Amino acid sequence: MNKHASILRTGRKFDQVLKGAREVFLADGFEGASVDDIARVAGVSKATLYSYFPDKRLLFMEVARSECARQADAPMNLATCSSTPRQILRAAAGHILSISLSDFGLRMFRICVAEADRFPDLGRQFYESGPLLIRGKIRDYLCSAAARGELQVEDFDLAADQFAELCRADLVPRFLFNINASFTEEERSRIIEGAVDTFLARYAVVST
């Protein structure tokens, strides 16, 4: 959990405020989003909004944290899976690619880049609340697979990062730069299978 989350006061309209804030932030960006608009869309008074979030940055980061936590949840519980490495990595690759090509992921990335100079903590906290959680789950799986003799990995952090980057090849840059707005299942499958094949070519246990 991010350190800011522990100081937030929850209550009956907390989720209502978050929902309204998510809509406004994704439409207008961090700087363009006004507290007045957020309160209006959320259907609460400014006093109610400020009682939960006295700072707009706290509100933005809670929106990011809650959405990232939701997206990083169950599909990435890999360490206890009993399937083969190829099956598990294929599922993980699909999950990573899906998040990377989501409208939320695109808009949050652009907001964090746009605000990086004025609010450098925004990007760091967004990374910690989303991508870092997924990286940790991949690392945990790699550790358990290596302990079972299914993979041979020495630097687990590096291997986790390498896998995540393989999953973002080709399609994600095209998405970020507005070259393509959507991709077919065949295009996604090409990236997923390529990522898994390349990763296993490096880290699979070689039979003798």
Side-chain angles (χ1 to χ4, degrees):
M1 177 180 294
N2 290 330
K3 61 184 180 180
H4 78 274
S6 62
I7 65 175
L8 297 179
R9 180 180 74 85
T10 58
R12 184 169 57 89
K13 295 188 177 181
F14 183 85
D15 291 340
Q16 190 174 327
V17 171
L18 277 187
K19 182 178 179 181
R22 182 186 188 280
E23 180 178 334
V24 175
F25 280 132
L26 293 187
D28 300 336
F30 177 82
E31 185 63 23
S34 72
V35 173
D36 286 332
D37 285 342
I38 293 172
R40 176 180 54 79
V41 172
V44 300
S45 67
K46 286 177 65 175
T48 296
L49 187 152
Y50 281 127
S51 72
Y52 292 119
F53 299 97
D55 184 288
K56 190 169 77 167
R57 278 183 292 181
L58 287 178
L59 178 53
F60 175 77
M61 287 316 307
E62 182 61 18
V63 169
R65 187 204 65 77
S66 60
E67 183 68 13
C68 287
R70 183 186 68 78
Q71 294 195 4
D73 226 359
M76 289 292 290
N77 290 332
L78 304 177
T80 59
C81 290
S82 58
S83 303
T84 67
R86 179 173 292 278
Q87 291 170 325
I88 292 173
L89 291 172
R90 185 183 290 123
H95 186 68
I96 293 169
L97 185 59
S98 178
I99 291 176
S100 299
L101 295 179
S102 69
D103 184 62
F104 173 82
L106 173 66
R107 291 176 183 270
M108 287 298 297
F109 174 81
R110 288 177 173 166
I111 289 171
C112 288
V113 170
E115 304 297 336
D117 289 337
R118 282 178 294 180
F119 304 117
D121 59 316
L122 287 180
R124 176 184 58 79
Q125 291 178 14
F126 173 65
Y127 175 75
E128 290 175 353
S129 67
L132 190 62
L133 291 178
I134 294 176
R135 178 180 182 265
K137 290 186 177 184
I138 295 172
R139 184 188 185 282
D140 289 346
Y141 166 68
L142 296 179
C143 288
S144 64
R148 292 191 297 269
E150 297 174 347
L151 298 173
Q152 45 188 9
V153 181
E154 293 182 2
D155 189 332
F156 293 99
D157 289 325
L158 176 61
D161 285 335
Q162 289 172 332
F163 181 72
E165 289 307 309
L166 287 170
C167 298
R168 299 187 181 100
D170 189 20
L171 303 190
V172 174
R174 286 159 56 190
F175 185 63
L176 291 176
F177 290 106
N178 277 334
I179 297 171
N180 298 99
S182 62
F183 302 96
T184 66
E185 286 303 313
E186 289 76 14
E187 289 177 300
R188 290 172 180 250
S189 179
R190 170 176 168 266
I191 299 303
I192 291 168
E193 296 302 328
V196 174
D197 286 345
T198 302
F199 190 82
L200 290 179
R202 170 63 178 85
Y203 292 111
V205 173
V206 179
S207 301
T208 57

